[in-house]
Amino acid sequence: MNPAKVERSRVRQLTDLPNVGEATAKDLVLLGIRSPAQLVGKDPWQLYGQLCRKTHSRQDPCVLDVLISITSFADGGEAKPWWEFTAERKRRYGDPLPYVQ
């Protein structure tokens, strides 16, 4: 969902989260996450690594930006566009991303 349209009190399903559409929701379900509440306290890097392993492919770094945005939101942060988390991703994990095994 577009972050500008997210109302925290109305977030019930994965596609209610900022920056999450059908494709990202399917990725989250693949990781065993079926509700926004299950993202509380999750580490975005671990989620990214699990997704890479489950799909047998290195995911685009923007996927990690989205994961940072939704775990931040789940932990009480603001709903912001995923690209506002790119600088944080580069600071935390490097650029380019290290290989995930």
Side-chain angles (χ1 to χ4, degrees):
M1 175 178 283
N2 181 323
K5 296 180 180 182
V6 172
E7 292 182 43
R8 187 177 294 279
S9 64
R10 293 182 179 217
V11 173
R12 303 275 185 270
Q13 55 191 4
L14 296 173
T15 53
D16 294 334
L17 289 164
N19 307 302
V20 175
E22 292 299 325
T24 300
K26 286 179 185 178
D27 288 343
L28 292 169
V29 169
L30 182 63
L31 296 174
I33 296 169
R34 290 176 168 62
S35 74
Q38 290 178 285
L39 289 165
V40 174
K42 295 287 187 191
D43 180 295
W45 178 251
Q46 288 179 352
L47 294 172
Y48 178 80
Q50 290 170 6
L51 185 59
C52 290
R53 287 187 291 280
K54 286 193 177 269
T55 60
H56 304 286
S57 65
R58 183 177 183 171
Q59 298 292 309
D60 189 280
C62 297
V63 171
L64 181 52
D65 297 345
V66 170
L67 293 171
I68 295 169
S69 79
I70 61 176
T71 54
S72 172
F73 180 80
D75 289 338
E78 290 180 55
K80 297 190 247 181
W82 63 265
W83 57 84
E84 289 192 21
F85 292 87
T86 301
E88 178 181 342
R89 177 209 0 121
K90 289 179 179 181
R91 235 183 355 267
R92 286 171 70 178
Y93 306 112
D95 187 36
L97 287 175
Y99 181 73
V100 177
Q101 294 187 23

